[in-house]
Amino acid sequence: MKTTFLKLITWLRHFLVGSFYNHKKVWQAFPVLFEARAELTYPIPGLKKTISLNYRNERESCHSMTPQGLTLTENYLLISAYCHDHQHRSVIYVLDRITGVRIKTVILPDLPHAGGLAYDPIHKKIWISNTSEKHAAVAAIQLSDIEKYEKDPITIAYQQKIILKELPRASAITYDQGYLYVALFTLDNHGKFCCYPLDEQGNLELIVDDSVVKSPFDTLAIPQKIQGVTIYKNLLLLSQSWGKQPGKIFVFDINETADFSNLDEAIKIIETPPYLEQIYVEGDQLYALFESAAAAYHKKAPYIMKDVLQIDLVKLFKELFGYAAK
């Protein structure tokens, strides 16, 4: 009964937004990716209107919120978005991960691009990519603070905001086994990828008498135009997108790759619809977020993705090239 109910909700959602025809076109254009799709999808909220705060801290409707980051907790799917016109504070949409219904919109205290979200399930903490003058930064919010957040037009407080020394921007982030991974988006040169361990309290440790964090590991080079990063067992997945051309997901074997910026070392390159942003893995499922339905892009995007795309990785890897993640 529960499965039937969820399928009915999904069908009604697609019917109301008129996405059946669009989905058919996308499936035909990217058959390899969509043959491994899951039935459950999550609607991207706030594409037409989001209530936020302007520079004067006044409650106002924003019509240019652009989705960027994505992560899942035990009970929620979180999507970050920024105002493309830079007039309103960035937000995090909180969706019920079973039904896909938006529960609330959390208003951030500033206007970051919010290009990435990461969830630390051990310390129940959400990390958000940010900037601080010439350096990258990450900000942290306790999941409990998001759960207690009211719908009144106020901003939530960061528990911690830390400057990262190696990078000028934190374009994409992910969490895996006690580490926060941060990637830099670049247009022309190779991007960068850094790894930061978390302490027993789930915090990044500050350098003594300083306000920045330095990675204890080497900085890795990655391809240009990377929008998202995630880890699946022994695989590193990087999402690349820029403009109207198809996006790509680069798949590297972590144990066998010497240079992650060398695409010849990728064990697979998967084409996706354009305007691909963050990707996130939980279990054997890959979740992909697109910004093509946002006001800034929907008139020029060849394909409009109004939902978070969910992909079965076991099926995708098995059908594509017979490679099973260890």
Side-chain angles (χ1 to χ4, degrees):
M1 180 63 71
K2 185 177 181 180
T3 301
T4 302
F5 176 70
L6 292 177
K7 287 183 178 179
L8 177 60
I9 290 178
T10 300
W11 185 89
L12 286 173
R13 184 187 303 143
H14 289 313
F15 177 79
L16 291 174
V17 301
S19 61
F20 281 119
Y21 176 67
N22 176 66
H23 278 194
K24 183 178 179 181
K25 292 194 301 180
V26 180
W27 295 339
Q28 291 173 343
F30 304 94
V32 172
L33 182 70
F34 279 84
E35 284 174 3
R37 74 189 184 281
E39 289 189 13
L40 180 61
T41 60
Y42 296 90
I44 302 172
L47 294 172
K48 292 185 177 180
K49 181 179 72 173
T50 296
I51 300 300
S52 185
L53 298 175
N54 60 24
Y55 280 103
R56 298 181 295 277
N57 284 326
E58 298 170 335
R59 186 176 186 272
E60 197 170 72
S61 294
C62 175
H63 300 278
S64 62
M65 278 294 175
T66 306
Q68 293 292 295
L70 165 77
T71 195
L72 281 89
T73 72
E74 292 80 3
N75 299 312
Y76 313 108
L77 183 141
L78 307 179
I79 297 175
S80 62
Y82 79 102
C83 173
H84 191 270
D85 298 329
H86 307 291
Q87 298 300 310
H88 303 94
R89 298 185 189 275
S90 304
V91 300
I92 295 177
Y93 303 114
V94 183
L95 282 66
D96 184 290
R97 64 172 295 167
I98 301 300
T99 65
V101 173
R102 175 169 52 167
I103 300 172
K104 64 179 73 175
T105 300
V106 176
I107 303 175
L108 299 178
D110 47 9
L111 286 77
H113 200 76
L117 290 178
Y119 176 55
D120 173 0
I122 298 176
H123 303 95
K124 309 295 183 184
K125 185 178 294 187
I126 308 298
W127 290 93
I128 308 159
S129 59
N130 208 300
T131 56
S132 180
E133 297 181 350
K134 296 181 179 180
H135 291 292
V138 288
I141 300 175
Q142 286 295 143
L143 178 60
S144 58
D145 290 341
I146 289 179
E147 292 177 323
K148 293 183 292 186
Y149 182 88
E150 300 293 338
K151 294 184 179 180
D152 297 332
I154 58 174
T155 61
I156 199 168
Y158 292 142
Q159 180 194 35
Q160 187 182 31
K161 182 176 177 179
I162 302 297
I163 301 171
L164 307 179
K165 189 173 183 180
E166 287 86 358
L167 304 172
R169 296 178 309 281
S171 308
I173 61 175
T174 195
Y175 168 91
D176 187 69
Q177 300 184 47
Y179 291 88
L180 193 67
Y181 297 86
V182 184
L184 170 67
F185 172 98
T186 55
L187 274 178
D188 301 317
N189 302 316
H190 292 317
K192 292 181 179 180
F193 185 61
C194 298
C195 176
Y196 301 89
L198 303 175
D199 63 20
E200 293 182 356
Q201 287 72 45
N203 298 322
L204 294 175
E205 293 186 359
L206 289 172
I207 298 174
V208 178
D209 298 326
D210 207 337
S211 61
V212 299
V213 168
K214 181 175 176 60
S215 172
F217 306 104
D218 290 337
T219 298
L220 299 178
I222 57 175
Q224 60 187 15
K225 304 173 184 175
I226 294 302
Q227 302 278 9
V229 54
T230 192
I231 296 171
Y232 177 56
K233 299 184 179 180
N234 62 300
L235 305 180
L236 176 68
L237 281 65
L238 302 172
S239 60
Q240 182 193 67
S241 180
W242 180 253
K244 296 187 291 184
Q245 61 268 29
K248 293 181 175 64
I249 296 176
F250 304 123
V251 183
F252 293 94
D253 186 321
I254 296 173
N255 298 325
E256 301 295 333
T257 302
D259 181 2
F260 290 95
S261 68
N262 182 1
L263 297 184
D264 290 336
E265 295 197 42
I267 60 174
K268 187 62 181 179
I269 299 176
I270 306 165
E271 280 205 346
T272 75
Y275 297 101
L276 173 63
E277 291 297 315
Q278 183 162 3
I279 54 176
Y280 177 83
V281 166
E282 184 183 73
D284 294 319
Q285 301 296 303
L286 173 70
Y287 299 82
L289 178 68
F290 298 81
E291 63 179 3
S292 53
Y297 305 110
H298 77 272
K299 290 185 178 179
K300 57 185 178 181
Y303 305 99
I304 306 298
M305 299 294 294
K306 296 182 179 181
D307 301 299
V308 173
L309 182 61
Q310 185 175 339
I311 299 295
D312 185 328
L313 287 175
V314 173
K315 184 177 180 181
L316 180 66
F317 290 150
K318 181 179 179 180
E319 292 190 354
L320 281 177
F321 45 90
Y323 183 95
K326 302 172 184 175

